[in-house]
Amino acid sequence: MAKPQELGGYDGEVTAACERVLVTVLSGLGPWKESVYLVGGLVPRYVVKARPPEVPPHAGTADVDIVVDLALLADTAAYETLEENLKRLGFERAENARGQVVNWRWKIKAETGVVLVLEFLADDPELGGGRVQELPTKGNISALNIPHAAMVFDLHDKVEITAELLGGGGRITQVVAHANLVSFCCLKAFAFAQRHELKDAHDLVYCLEHSEGGPDAAITLFRSALEGKHAAAIGQALVLLENHFCDPKPEEAYLRDGPVAVARFEISGDDGEAQEARILRQRRVADHMGDVIRALKLGGGA
């Protein structure tokens, strides 16, 4: 199930369906839903409060990525209940990028026929990045280890989401804990550096450009987080952002792979007009990211 490589390949109705997956899974976790945190491509929907036409549309997603607390993974009743609920709802194990069926990735076909994906992530410091964190169970659920993902346990916001349960169970409202601007951008920075997917660059830049309060508010959030226990990881992410979005020659920062990735994802076409639009977008991204990163390095405002 290859992901679209451009903005036009995503569908707002599919993103809304992902909300249904999220609230349905949470509804079956009982008290353990307090140990589940949303990350990934559904998060910009909540980090950015404004909607088009006030802001450009975000791509959305066809995946639901949730980080689970290791304490949940160690509770037999919790993960057995989760597995039973997934199977009852019609979920089945999904394939990874190599076409191998894995236990941390599950899929379901919605009423519209679109396939929605649910991914379980964890952060075990004793494992290397990208390795599968097997749950202590004889069942069929595991989680993919994502270094630094645990920062979302401390750096998150909450939102009420109302959506229809899968399977015709009616409408429900769930309180969802999701990555805040800082943890989301950091995790996306690590992801972009590792796999270089164009959408990762789009996701993080979109949130930094359009989150409430603008650059000053974003800088304030980052500066506050840099005083906390995740300062080292955030510092590493900022170094990556600088490497991918800034250049020793500021006037050439638009040529870095970060701005190029954003423009390639958002603007398709090979004609001269599209090429000019991509260059303009690259320059705007480079300027915005450069302003934020320089302000954080200097300790000043935007």
Side-chain angles (χ1 to χ4, degrees):
M1 294 179 291
K3 294 182 179 181
Q5 295 301 304
E6 59 183 35
L7 183 65
Y10 286 82
D11 187 330
E13 292 186 3
V14 175
T15 302
C18 284
E19 282 194 324
R20 296 181 60 200
V21 171
L22 178 61
V23 299
T24 301
V25 171
L26 291 178
S27 69
L29 277 179
W32 281 106
K33 67 183 178 182
E34 302 296 331
S35 302
V36 171
Y37 299 80
L38 179 69
V39 295
L42 196 56
V43 169
R45 190 177 180 92
Y46 315 118
V47 167
V48 177
K49 308 299 183 184
R51 294 289 182 266
E54 184 178 348
V55 296
H58 176 254
T61 186
D63 301 339
V64 177
D65 302 328
I66 55 176
V67 176
V68 293
D69 194 320
L70 289 175
L72 182 150
L73 309 189
D75 186 281
T76 303
Y79 63 67
E80 285 184 349
T81 299
L82 177 57
E83 182 178 347
E84 291 172 1
N85 286 342
L86 290 176
K87 291 180 176 178
R88 175 177 54 81
L89 291 166
F91 280 89
E92 59 182 316
R93 291 186 298 158
E95 304 79 19
N96 62 14
R98 296 184 294 275
Q100 302 167 325
V101 175
V102 292
N103 292 341
W104 53 269
R105 203 164 196 251
W106 291 66
K107 63 183 178 181
I108 189 171
K109 183 175 288 188
E111 295 92 334
T112 58
V114 66
V115 176
L116 305 171
V117 174
L118 172 66
E119 296 183 350
F120 294 99
L121 313 175
D123 182 6
D124 187 340
E126 296 183 2
L127 293 181
R131 292 180 56 190
V132 174
Q133 161 71 60
E134 294 289 347
L135 298 185
T137 175
K138 296 179 181 179
N140 295 311
I141 300 180
S142 63
L144 185 69
N145 182 60
I146 303 294
H148 310 301
M151 71 167 61
V152 74
F153 299 158
D154 300 301
L155 302 174
H156 64 266
D157 294 319
K158 293 185 177 182
V159 62
E160 284 192 351
I161 299 176
T162 299
E164 296 285 339
L165 292 167
L166 296 175
R171 184 175 296 178
I172 191 172
T173 299
Q174 292 281 359
V175 176
V176 177
H178 64 83
N180 71 1
L181 179 66
V182 174
S183 58
F184 179 77
C185 289
C186 288
L187 293 176
K188 281 295 181 179
F190 290 124
F192 182 70
Q194 182 180 39
R195 62 192 185 187
H196 209 267
E197 287 192 3
L198 306 185
K199 186 175 181 293
D200 288 329
H202 162 76
D203 284 342
L204 73 89
V205 169
Y206 184 87
C207 287
L208 281 172
E209 284 183 325
H210 303 298
S211 59
E212 192 171 10
D216 285 327
I219 290 165
T220 298
L221 284 173
F222 268 91
R223 188 175 295 123
S224 176
L226 282 165
E227 297 177 356
K229 69 178 184 179
H230 301 290
I234 295 170
Q236 292 174 32
L238 290 174
V239 169
L240 291 175
L241 290 177
E242 184 175 18
N243 289 341
H244 289 290
F245 288 90
C246 301
D247 194 87
K249 298 179 179 179
E251 69 276 9
E252 296 184 4
Y254 75 101
L255 298 174
R256 303 296 287 191
D257 60 340
V260 170
V262 175
R264 287 180 59 198
F265 181 82
E266 295 177 355
I267 304 169
S268 59
D270 297 321
D271 58 89
E273 183 177 350
Q275 292 175 8
E276 290 180 8
R278 280 195 292 272
I279 291 295
L280 179 60
R281 179 63 174 138
Q282 289 169 219
R283 291 186 181 278
R284 288 176 175 170
V285 169
D287 288 346
H288 186 88
M289 295 296 289
D291 288 345
V292 172
I293 293 168
R294 281 190 295 272
L296 286 170
K297 289 182 66 176
L298 295 173

